[in-house]
Amino acid sequence: MKKIVALDIGGTSIKYGIVSEVGEILFQSEKPTNALRGGAFLMKTVEEIVETLLAQENNFVGIGVSTAGQIAPETGEVVFANENLPGWTGMKIRENLENMFHLPTFVENDVNAAALGELWVGAGKGKKDFLCITVGTGVGGAIVMNGQIYHGATGSAGEFGHLLLKKGGYLCNCGQRGCFEQYASTGALIRHVQSLYVERGENVTEPINGKWIFEQAAIGNAVCQEGIEYFIDHLAVGLATLVHIFNPSLIVIGGGVSGQGHPLLQQINKKVESYIMPSYREPLMIDFAKCGNGAGMLGAAYGLLNQIG
Ligand SMILES: [Zn+2]
């Protein structure tokens, strides 16, 4: 059976492992990114991981890399990475790995790779066209068209998190104001719940995070319930915009909130329906991602298999 070395490089950790040609993760581990040590150090870490994996087994047909940052699809080079991965911009990941290991290498942005993972063995299996949105600290997106990622002019299509939702709204880390992710991420949910507590003059001793808010809401905490309503409402407004542009039959929601299960999914569905024209409702399904945190590795492996044909 063919095997692929797969890596998923994030701001805090690098997940890595071995993926089979039918989309099983045969081995998985992770190590810290140590992003602050810079791009060259990170590239060296990646090379060491690949070297170790290649020494373990045979039958490798290539290397698949999912990474944070905007990636040029043809060259596998980092077009832009933000301050979470200093010195990563400009890194020729594909060229470096192909020169060193003489194996075909595929490199893709992490959200796009996660979408490919869902397309291969997850919520998008059997679909040719769908949208993926990851809702975590920020909001990411990917557009799958005809079984492939739609990249746009510079490889950056699908940045749903920076849809303009509110003119003059909260300042976003992209430099603009009022971006979608400032209202519909877990980061935004936490900020909103904190502000509700401040308004009420109440003190919370526990650290407020997304998991805590959902747990509290489930046991009747009115402040957390109000926060979640705000979050769902803004998420639905952004999704409604996407629905009117793409008329999709499927939107896959990944990231931290996808662990929340059916009740949240139903509320999102209902709210989105209320914001879209009837003709868009019937074909539309909104579902949670199914590949968990292995999605990036799976998608990187799938991309590699497609690349080598
Ligand atoms: Zn923004």
Side-chain angles (χ1 to χ4, degrees), residues 130-181:
F130 63 94
L131 304 177
C132 258
I133 179 163
T134 54
V135 182
T137 315
V139 171
I143 303 160
V144 178
M145 259 186 200
N146 212 10
Q148 294 190 320
I149 297 294
Y150 174 75
H151 282 105
T154 58
S156 311
E159 280 282 5
F160 303 151
H162 305 282
L163 286 176
L164 182 56
L165 214 64
K166 279 204 177 140
K167 196 170 180 304
Y170 288 124
L171 183 64
C172 183
N173 50 22
C174 73
Q176 300 295 328
R177 282 187 176 275
C179 292
F180 186 25
E181 74 173 24

Side-chain angles (χ1 to χ4, degrees), residues 5 9 43 45 50 54 65 99 101 104 114 117 120 181 188 197 205 220-221 242 250 280 296:
V5 166
I9 304 164
M43 192 66 231
T45 309
V50 174
L54 289 177
V65 180
N99 286 342
F101 300 106
W120 193 18
E181 74 173 24
Y197 275 116
T205 48
N221 178 324
L242 294 171
L250 174 66
Y280 291 82

Side-chain angles (χ1 to χ4, degrees), residues 67-119:
T67 175
Q70 296 169 9
I71 305 302
E74 302 300 324
T75 60
E77 190 178 329
V78 183
V79 177
F80 176 74
N82 68 18
E83 69 282 359
N84 291 331
L85 292 176
W88 202 228
T89 300
M91 190 59 71
K92 295 177 165 56
I93 304 174
R94 178 171 170 184
E95 193 181 306
N96 288 345
L97 293 177
E98 287 188 340
N99 286 342
M100 192 158 183
F101 300 106
H102 309 289
L103 278 172
T105 299
F106 170 82
V107 185
E108 182 57 279
N109 158 271
D110 52 0
V111 183
N112 287 343
L116 289 176
E118 295 297 329
L119 170 69

Side-chain angles (χ1 to χ4, degrees), residues 184-195:
S185 57
T186 44
L189 170 63
I190 292 164
R191 175 171 61 196
H192 190 65
V193 168
Q194 280 168 337
S195 73

